[in-house]
Every structure is written in C-alpha cells, then in structure tokens.
Amino acid sequence: MQIDKLRGKELDQLFKAVLSLKDLDECYRFFDDLCTINEIQSLSQRLDVARMLREGNTYHKIEAETGASTATISRVKRCLNFGNDTYEMVLARVKEENSTTAEE
C-alpha cells in the first residue's frame, strides 16, 4: 500500500477520529472543519467516479456528469483494477445501506 509510507501516530489519529463519527451529521461537521470545500468535493467526486466505472459508464459520460478529468478517472480506474478493493467494499456497503433504508 502506498499509504504505508505515511503510517504513524498522526494518520492513526485521523483514521480513529473518522471511525469515531456516529452519523452523517457528525461527518458533515467534522469534514467541514477538517477539509476545504475543494478537498471534500474531490474526495466525493472520486467515489462517484468509482461508482460510475463500476456500473460500466464510459469516460466521456463520467467526465460529463461528474466534471472529473480523464486523469482522475484513470487514477480511480487504476485503483479499482489494481488497488486494495476498498472502493468495491464501500460502494457495496453504501448500496446495501441505501437498499435497507429504502425498504423501511
């Protein structure tokens, strides 16, 4: 993993802080304090690009709908193909959560 180079006390603290968040409102408030609007948009855009790639959308459609550059789309695709499978994991969990919520 590339991130292993950054592993340490500070990164552990960040990840533990994220894991401690209890609901969507806490996430909004924490990330509002932690990140710039552009950083938050970039992170959410990458996840949306991953979802669209997973659904089989073309680069052109993804670029048009998300505003992501082809470089960003390529990077996300590389992670989907050769990464740690976490995009797949979280997208499946979000989809499951959304279908459970819709049934209620």
Side-chain angles (χ1 to χ4, degrees):
M1 284 190 298
Q2 295 178 46
I3 200 167
D4 280 338
K5 296 174 185 172
L6 302 176
R7 190 179 292 270
K9 180 178 69 172
E10 293 85 6
L11 200 54
D12 285 354
Q13 177 178 269
L14 172 63
F15 292 155
K16 286 176 183 178
V18 170
L19 290 170
S20 77
L21 299 170
K22 293 179 175 46
D23 58 30
L24 206 50
D25 184 58
E26 284 188 4
C27 287
Y28 270 95
R29 293 185 357 240
F30 179 67
F31 279 90
D32 187 39
D33 286 346
L34 181 67
C35 301
T36 66
I37 294 300
N38 287 339
E39 289 167 335
I40 294 168
Q41 287 175 325
S42 292
L43 293 171
S44 63
Q45 181 186 66
R46 288 180 190 166
L47 187 59
D48 203 31
V49 167
R51 177 192 58 78
M52 292 183 74
L53 283 168
R54 189 170 164 241
E55 292 172 354
N57 290 285
T58 64
Y59 273 43
H60 179 72
K61 183 172 182 176
I62 295 168
E63 191 175 14
E65 287 191 22
T66 67
S69 68
T70 55
T72 296
I73 298 168
S74 294
R75 183 190 187 289
V76 172
K77 184 173 184 174
R78 194 168 43 254
C79 289
L80 283 170
N81 292 334
F82 305 108
N84 300 303
D85 298 324
T86 54
Y87 275 123
E88 293 287 346
M89 177 186 70
V90 298
L91 288 169
R93 288 178 182 173
V94 168
K95 185 176 181 178
E96 182 180 316
E97 167 99 12
N98 288 341
S99 66
T100 303
T101 305
E103 291 173 5
E104 294 174 359

